[in-house]
Amino acid sequence: MRKIISGLFVSLDGVVEAPDQWHFPYFSDEMGEAVESTVANADAVLFGRKTFTDFQSYWPSQGPEVPFSSFINNVQKYVVSTTLTETTWADSSIISGDVEAGIRELKASEGKDISITGSGTLVMWLLRHGLLDELRLLVHPIIVGEGKKQLWDGGERLGLELVDLKVFKNGVTHQIYAKADIPENPMGF
């Protein structure tokens, strides 16, 4: 079975929206390697509609001299959407209707890992439905103060296990989580 692995840039106050507004001053070679590790074993990328639309408007016009463009323009792309009916970006498919069944079918298909870049709303949905295998967070030492905090919007509790942690020289932490049961409360309440 293929794994779905999400990579997100997050501020200390939990903002995942518009990292282009606050992320780049922290970018380093260490962060580049962490991002590369998320896509290195992937042969497909899964997007929410908004991130897909943003990427589709930018990446197809970028040449191979721009880092990441060769990967993203040539990889198989899947977008989860109830509103899109077609896409013009090469190697793109739309998952709609019974999204859970569509993603389970994608996970069961032959291939390598399926990467998610951004798409906070989709990541939350995948977590809720038990479909996300790894959550990789690059937590930046900045308080953004505004923006969507989409990583988790309340509701039921979800257990995760920290499987790896690195602290970069610039203060960014790379935290990798996998699904886990919530431990019993030893206090009994």
Side-chain angles (χ1 to χ4, degrees):
M1 175 151 310
R2 299 169 84 177
K3 293 187 343 184
I4 298 180
I5 299 173
S6 169
L8 288 171
F9 298 138
V10 183
S11 69
L12 275 181
D13 55 342
V15 175
V16 295
E17 181 180 41
D20 58 307
Q21 305 293 313
W22 48 267
H23 154 74
F24 287 109
Y26 295 95
F27 195 80
S28 67
D29 289 342
E30 289 175 305
M31 289 181 70
E33 290 172 15
V35 170
E36 177 64 29
S37 74
T38 300
V39 299
N41 294 319
D43 64 358
V45 177
L46 183 61
F47 291 99
R49 185 210 38 88
K50 184 179 182 324
T51 303
F52 179 83
T53 302
D54 291 347
F55 273 46
Q56 180 179 242
S57 69
Y58 176 78
W59 286 107
S61 63
Q62 303 307 306
E65 71 281 357
V66 177
F68 191 64
S69 67
S70 292
F71 170 79
I72 200 65
N73 285 322
N74 295 302
V75 72
Q76 181 62 50
K77 294 167 277 296
Y78 298 91
V79 56
V80 174
S81 177
T82 58
T83 58
L84 286 179
T85 57
E86 64 181 21
T87 174
T88 58
W89 198 3
D91 303 313
S92 297
S93 301
I94 299 169
I95 298 174
S96 61
D98 187 346
V99 172
E100 186 172 350
I103 291 176
R104 288 190 187 283
E105 183 178 318
L106 179 60
K107 284 185 70 152
S109 67
E110 291 293 318
K112 296 180 177 182
D113 292 341
I114 303 160
S115 175
I116 302 176
T117 301
S119 304
T121 302
L122 176 60
V123 170
M124 277 193 318
W125 187 90
L126 291 167
L127 281 167
R128 266 199 188 91
H129 289 84
L131 295 169
L132 188 71
D133 298 288
E134 274 188 20
L135 178 61
R136 297 181 179 193
L137 303 176
L138 284 163
V139 182
H140 294 58
I142 184 172
I143 304 290
V144 176
E146 62 182 8
K148 292 182 183 175
K149 299 176 183 177
Q150 294 182 9
L151 189 54
W152 199 247
D153 63 359
E156 69 279 0
R157 292 180 180 173
L158 177 72
L160 297 171
E161 174 188 3
L162 181 65
V163 295
D164 195 22
L165 171 66
K166 292 184 179 85
V167 180
F168 298 148
K169 292 175 189 167
N170 61 7
V172 171
T173 61
H174 186 216
Q175 305 170 22
I176 301 178
Y177 293 91
K179 297 182 284 187
D181 293 330
I182 298 174
E184 292 291 322
N185 182 348
M187 302 297 285
F189 53 88

